Amino acid sequence: MTNSKISFKNKLNQKNNTFEILRENYIYFLAVIRFFFRNKNFLKHFGFIYGLYFIGIFGLLIADVYHRDDIWRMQGGNPSFLQASRRLSQVLSYFFHASYPKIADISPISQLIAIAFLSIASIALVKTVNKKITYTGLTASLLLGLNPWYLQCLSYKYDSVFMALATLCAVFPFLFTKRLSLFFFTSVFFLVCMWNLYQTNNGIYIVIAFFLVINFIVLKTNAKQILRFLLVSMFAFILAGLIYKFFFFIEPKDDSYIGKLNSVDISKFFENIKKLLHWTNRNIGTNIIKYLFFISMLFFGFAMFQKRKNNPVITILAILIFLFIGLFASYGMYLILAKFDQQARAISQIGGFLAIVAIVAVSQKQKILNFI
């Protein structure tokens, strides 16, 4: 009888503890959201970065270009996102385009909404990488959505808003890294949303998580804490991918774009890395841009080295690992697909890597200027 009472009491305590953890996470979630959006400088930061994004895409808005996808969506009025296994895009299209069952062309409003999502993503990324939001950091974060490859995403009149929202979903969970249990659940939720909006953006989550691990090493964070964060982020990413695969993914009927997501071939990993490296070198532009690209990496290394708390050798090794692997990691799960997707929009997530490099580089701008 006594053992039964003790067992019942233990179960009751476990339930109470679980409830308390959920309650604390819920309160912390609301606190972070409140602090992020109701910060006294949020509107200033949002207005600043939104203005820069608007200037960046102004030419696209004036050109008023219609992609093939835009034309047949405009003619037929059918969102047709389900055939690409983008269920959330399908549902939200009726909301954003304010019509059902046919959707109307509301551009450039859709693109203006898209840069609003990108503006929030930029603020969240600067907060994650730099811990504090500065105007120089925000300017550097423009590479997240204004890199040459992401401009194709923003040129779409129907898809752009969902592509931008997917980018935000890949960045937003990192606001909750101080509580790993909450970070895990928000990561799974937002990553499932990302997969159902625009699958390409999965690489942004990977490269941010990878940077934070490297940053922890540079700052000589406790090894157990680094391992816990690494395992939590990895497991959240894998779980979200499995949820999407088994509950939301629609098997393609032909060799369509989404069919590439179903043709996984791990043996293609190194071949795809080689193709990505060749593609990047070929498409990065003129020699001047290439020099700027490598100079920004040099400044990134200098900035990371300046804030180090770890052994200089370990710090340099960690920096080099991020710069070498981060570029490929930004391509995400596409590295293990049987077919290498060379479309600009498929490689647009490299902007996550470039934005992190730029944000860190300008964070130590005064020391860099003094060094120069």
Side-chain angles (χ1 to χ4, degrees):
M1 184 70 177
T2 305
N3 290 335
S4 299
K5 288 183 178 179
I6 294 174
S7 178
F8 176 76
K9 188 175 181 180
N10 289 336
K11 290 181 179 179
L12 186 62
N13 288 335
Q14 289 177 358
K15 289 183 179 180
N16 290 335
N17 290 337
T18 302
F19 176 78
E20 188 63 26
I21 291 172
L22 292 174
R23 178 175 173 276
E24 289 176 359
N25 282 334
Y26 175 70
I27 293 173
Y28 185 78
F29 175 82
L30 293 180
V32 171
I33 295 294
R34 180 186 178 90
F35 179 79
F36 182 79
F37 286 105
R38 299 190 66 177
N39 184 285
K40 63 180 182 179
N41 293 318
F42 176 79
L43 290 179
K44 293 180 182 178
H45 293 150
F46 179 83
F48 174 77
I49 192 67
Y50 187 90
L52 293 180
Y53 272 118
F54 178 77
I55 293 172
I57 71 164
F58 186 71
L60 287 177
L61 302 181
I62 294 298
D64 197 28
V65 176
Y66 281 82
H67 286 273
R68 182 178 60 182
D69 292 6
D70 294 325
I71 292 173
W72 56 257
R73 282 195 174 100
M74 181 180 64
Q75 292 175 340
N78 189 348
S80 300
F81 290 114
L82 286 180
Q83 66 185 29
S85 292
R86 299 173 190 164
R87 294 177 182 269
L88 192 54
S89 293
Q90 179 81 10
V91 174
L92 292 179
S93 63
Y94 300 119
F95 171 76
F96 283 112
H97 293 270
S99 57
Y100 179 86
K102 304 293 185 180
I103 58 174
D105 176 15
I106 61 169
S107 62
I109 295 176
S110 55
Q111 290 150 309
L112 295 177
I113 295 173
I115 61 173
F117 288 139
L118 285 176
S119 298
I120 298 173
S122 282
I123 296 172
L125 183 62
V126 174
K127 177 72 174 176
T128 299
V129 173
N130 208 24
K131 302 305 178 187
K132 61 179 180 179
I133 302 171
T134 63
Y135 289 105
T136 52
L138 288 173
T139 304
S141 74
L142 282 172
L143 289 170
L144 178 66
L146 276 188
N147 64 78
W149 307 285
Y150 204 100
L151 287 176
Q152 185 187 18
C153 299
L154 292 174
S155 66
Y156 283 96
K157 296 181 178 295
Y158 288 87
D159 300 59
S160 58
V161 63
F162 308 117
M163 292 173 171
L165 183 56
T167 300
L168 176 58
C169 287
V171 176
F172 207 70
F174 293 97
L175 293 175
F176 308 97
T177 52
K178 288 186 178 180
R179 292 184 71 94
L180 286 183
S181 56
L182 180 59
F183 170 65
F184 172 78
F185 289 113
T186 52
S187 290
V188 172
F189 173 77
F190 283 110
L191 284 173
V192 170
C193 290
M194 179 274 298
W195 284 112
N196 279 281
L197 286 164
Y198 189 60
Q199 300 90 346
T200 298
N201 289 278
N202 71 88
I204 295 175
Y205 181 92
I206 294 174
V207 78
I208 296 174
F210 183 44
F211 166 76
L212 290 179
V213 170
I214 295 298
N215 194 52
F216 287 149
I217 293 172
V218 171
L219 296 177
K220 204 176 182 179
T221 306
N222 183 276
K224 289 184 179 179
Q225 185 178 342
I226 298 174
L227 183 61
R228 284 182 62 200
F229 173 79
L230 179 61
L231 292 176
V232 167
S233 56
M234 286 177 60
F235 185 56
F237 184 85
I238 293 171
L239 180 59
L242 291 174
I243 291 173
Y244 171 72
K245 172 66 177 177
F246 292 107
F247 294 98
F248 298 100
F249 185 80
I250 300 173
E251 294 290 340
K253 296 179 180 180
D254 53 21
D255 189 24
S256 60
Y257 168 73
I258 195 63
K260 297 173 183 177
L261 284 176
N262 200 37
S263 55
V264 174
D265 187 350
I266 298 178
S267 66
K268 295 285 186 178
F269 178 75
F270 292 105
E271 181 182 336
N272 285 338
I273 286 181
K274 184 178 178 180
K275 288 180 179 178
L276 179 61
L277 185 61
H278 175 72
W279 188 96
T280 304
N281 181 63
R282 188 185 64 197
N283 290 276
I284 202 169
T286 63
N287 287 332
I288 294 177
I289 296 178
K290 289 179 181 179
Y291 290 143
L292 290 174
F293 180 72
F294 288 112
I295 289 172
S296 65
M297 287 188 171
L298 183 63
F299 285 167
F300 168 85
F302 181 85
M304 291 289 286
F305 192 79
Q306 284 294 314
K307 68 175 185 178
R308 78 188 188 284
K309 293 182 180 179
N310 211 329
N311 182 286
V313 176
I314 295 176
T315 299
I316 293 174
L317 184 61
I319 293 170
L320 292 176
I321 289 173
F322 175 75
L323 291 176
F324 181 73
I325 298 179
L327 178 65
F328 305 119
S330 63
Y331 198 58
M333 291 295 293
Y334 280 33
L335 283 176
I336 59 172
L337 298 184
K339 295 183 179 181
F340 182 78
D341 194 345
Q342 299 189 52
Q343 296 183 83
R345 62 180 183 175
I347 306 182
S348 61
Q349 54 198 323
I350 194 176
F353 170 76
L354 296 176
I356 291 172
V357 170
I359 292 168
V360 173
V362 300
S363 68
Q364 300 288 332
K365 59 183 181 300
Q366 193 58 52
K367 291 183 179 179
I368 291 174
L369 291 173
N370 291 339
F371 176 78
I372 295 175

